[in-house]
Amino acid sequence: MPEIKITGGRNKLPDKEIRAFKKFRNAFYSGDALYFATGEFVTDMLLNKTTRFAKSLETLIIYAVENGERIAQCLLTVAPNTDFAQLVFFDCPRNSYGVADEMIKAAIEEMRKRGIKRLVAGLSGHLSYGVGILNETTLKNSFDTNYNKTYTGEFFKNFETVNTLSAYRCKLSDARERLNAVKFSTNGFSVRESDFSKFKSECEILRTLCDRTIGTTYLYTPTAEGHFYDLLKDLKLLLTEKNLLFLMHDGKEVGFVLWHPDFNCTVKSGRPLTKTAFAVNCIFNKRKIDTVKLNAIGVLKDYKGRGTIALLRALEERTRSYEYIETNFVWDNNVESTLINKRLLGQSCRKFSVYEKEI
């Protein structure tokens, strides 16, 4: 069996360890036609602790070494005010069940030292940074959607709890036709575009609404001030004020929708990518983008239904130059959201799972 090594903690990881982790991931996904390295922006954020959220985490690198070579790796993270630990970026070769088991055992031993009794595989630190171990897709990865080798879920077959998620995709013309068939009146509601001259405060409005709407979602961790500013500030150059919309009622924000173009349409798959190269590609290849990503939508309980339709109509008005629309993850046991997505978008295009184990 391989030797299992562990490094890290609450402080920033040593640069040497970060480079080794990144080198392995780059090689592991090199040439994978479905993989876009834009997902590594989250990896870099967690490893380098570049956001307030990442700095709050205890982050350990767990890796397996055989014949002097690293053969598998993952992160074990613990967020404050949570009663579970997370296995993140679990990269292990196909059919290497013994190696995967040893890394999981090592993670459990670290949890026992800390008195933590739940282990979750499928988050990337927080729900807003991606959710789910990808189990099924034939599509290239879209921007801000988790990606892994689709066999990865097999390593967690002994976890007692499995929650499934789906992403949905269809032609915008089809979604528009179905939306237009919904005859709900939206009188009393309006939708405003965000004001980027007040970017930080607009991100705080988004954060507050997200905590009050999506905050009841399974495994959601309440956010701290600055969370969404840290998440979106690097993308601000590529976004416009219409990408963050607020639902208004009686002069106050009661809902939101965050959407953006699928920036992965501008870059090549299966190779490393710097933030600078990504930005340049997005600016000069934006005509290649044919897909809209619906990142998140939330409406306060008393305004759902008509308010949700008002937001979707505002989204439709602003996305008519694109050909396709794709959602972020939707929990399959969220009956209301699943019904809306199936009604407007049809069939799912990606299947994910989140695995949970009590120790």
Side-chain angles (χ1 to χ4, degrees):
M1 291 304 295
E3 179 184 4
I4 303 298
K5 297 187 176 183
I6 302 174
T7 186
R10 294 200 175 277
N11 297 324
K12 184 178 180 297
L13 293 162
D15 290 342
K16 179 181 178 181
E17 299 294 344
I18 293 174
R19 287 195 298 270
F21 193 91
K22 290 286 296 176
K23 180 180 179 181
F24 182 85
R25 271 184 71 82
N26 287 342
F28 194 74
Y29 291 104
S30 177
D32 187 333
L34 301 184
Y35 163 78
F36 285 94
T38 52
E40 297 311 304
F41 301 153
V42 176
T43 312
D44 294 343
M45 179 271 294
L46 292 179
L47 290 173
N48 292 294
K49 294 183 178 286
T50 55
T51 65
R52 280 162 280 197
F53 172 73
K55 289 174 183 175
S56 74
L57 300 177
E58 182 174 9
T59 304
L60 302 175
I61 295 176
I62 300 175
Y63 60 102
V65 177
E66 193 169 68
N67 299 323
E69 296 290 331
R70 184 177 302 214
I71 59 171
Q73 66 180 21
C74 66
L75 296 184
L76 179 69
T77 66
V78 182
N81 304 316
T82 59
D83 62 352
F84 59 89
Q86 302 177 38
L87 285 174
V88 185
F89 308 132
F90 199 94
D91 295 331
C92 186
R94 184 187 292 272
N95 297 324
S96 298
Y97 298 105
V99 177
D101 286 345
E102 290 301 309
M103 290 201 300
I104 292 170
K105 287 179 183 177
I108 289 173
E109 286 303 310
E110 292 297 324
M111 292 169 58
R112 285 180 173 143
K113 294 176 185 178
R114 294 158 176 79
I116 302 171
K117 297 184 178 180
R118 292 170 62 208
L119 180 60
V120 173
L123 297 185
S124 298
H126 190 278
L127 260 66
S128 56
Y129 287 104
V131 186
I133 300 292
L134 180 65
N135 299 131
E136 180 185 330
T137 191
T138 58
L139 299 173
K140 292 182 179 181
N141 199 41
S142 56
F143 187 79
D144 75 25
T145 299
N146 278 5
Y147 183 79
N148 53 262
K149 303 290 187 180
T150 53
Y151 61 76
T152 304
E154 298 172 10
F155 298 133
F156 309 109
K157 60 184 178 181
N158 294 324
F159 281 40
E160 298 91 350
T161 303
V162 181
N163 288 278
T164 59
L165 312 90
S166 301
Y168 296 82
R169 178 185 177 92
C170 73
K171 284 191 172 183
L172 261 169
S173 57
D174 293 339
R176 183 177 302 116
E177 182 177 345
R178 294 167 186 151
L179 180 62
N180 289 339
V182 178
K183 300 304 181 182
F184 282 8
S185 169
T186 57
N187 289 341
F189 291 97
S190 62
V191 175
R192 73 167 179 88
E193 297 182 356
S194 53
D195 181 353
F196 276 15
S197 69
K198 304 174 182 177
F199 190 66
K200 281 189 176 181
S201 61
E202 296 286 63
C203 286
E204 277 303 294
I205 294 172
L206 169 63
R207 184 183 73 84
T208 301
L209 287 170
C210 202
D211 278 3
R212 295 178 63 192
T213 56
I214 302 174
T216 58
T217 302
Y218 173 60
L219 296 179
Y220 185 94
T221 303
T223 57
E225 183 177 352
H227 180 93
F228 280 97
Y229 174 73
D230 287 344
L231 176 67
L232 296 174
K233 63 182 181 181
D234 288 342
L235 276 179
K236 184 183 176 185
L237 176 67
L238 303 176
L239 299 175
T240 67
E241 293 174 322
K242 66 182 179 181
N243 293 123
L244 175 57
L245 304 174
F246 290 109
L247 178 68
M248 307 297 295
H249 190 272
D250 289 339
K252 63 180 180 180
E253 292 86 0
V254 297
F256 72 92
V257 62
L258 174 63
W259 69 276
H260 53 73
D262 180 8
F263 299 117
N264 282 2
C265 295
T266 68
V267 296
K268 294 183 178 180
S269 62
R271 62 178 64 183
L273 182 70
T274 66
K275 285 186 178 180
T276 300
F278 168 66
V280 170
N281 274 280
C282 287
I283 292 170
F284 288 100
N285 296 324
K286 60 183 179 181
R287 291 185 178 179
K288 294 182 178 180
I289 301 176
D290 63 359
T291 301
V292 168
K293 281 299 300 289
L294 175 52
N295 183 295
I297 184 170
V299 177
L300 295 178
K301 183 178 179 180
D302 292 342
Y303 305 95
K304 285 186 175 181
R306 294 191 303 122
T308 302
I309 295 300
L311 275 175
L312 291 175
R313 287 175 178 168
L315 173 65
E316 185 275 328
E317 290 173 0
R318 291 162 174 81
T319 56
R320 291 176 182 173
S321 62
Y322 299 92
E323 186 174 0
Y324 299 97
I325 183 168
E326 182 178 324
T327 69
N328 215 332
F329 70 90
V330 178
W331 294 99
D332 290 337
N333 60 6
N334 186 331
V335 177
E336 182 181 17
S337 293
T338 297
L339 286 174
I340 291 173
N341 278 277
K342 286 184 175 180
R343 180 174 181 181
L344 295 180
L345 302 179
Q347 297 300 311
S348 63
C349 64
R350 306 176 200 273
K351 292 289 188 179
F352 305 86
S353 293
V354 172
Y355 304 87
E356 185 175 328
K357 183 178 184 63
E358 296 283 342
I359 66 169

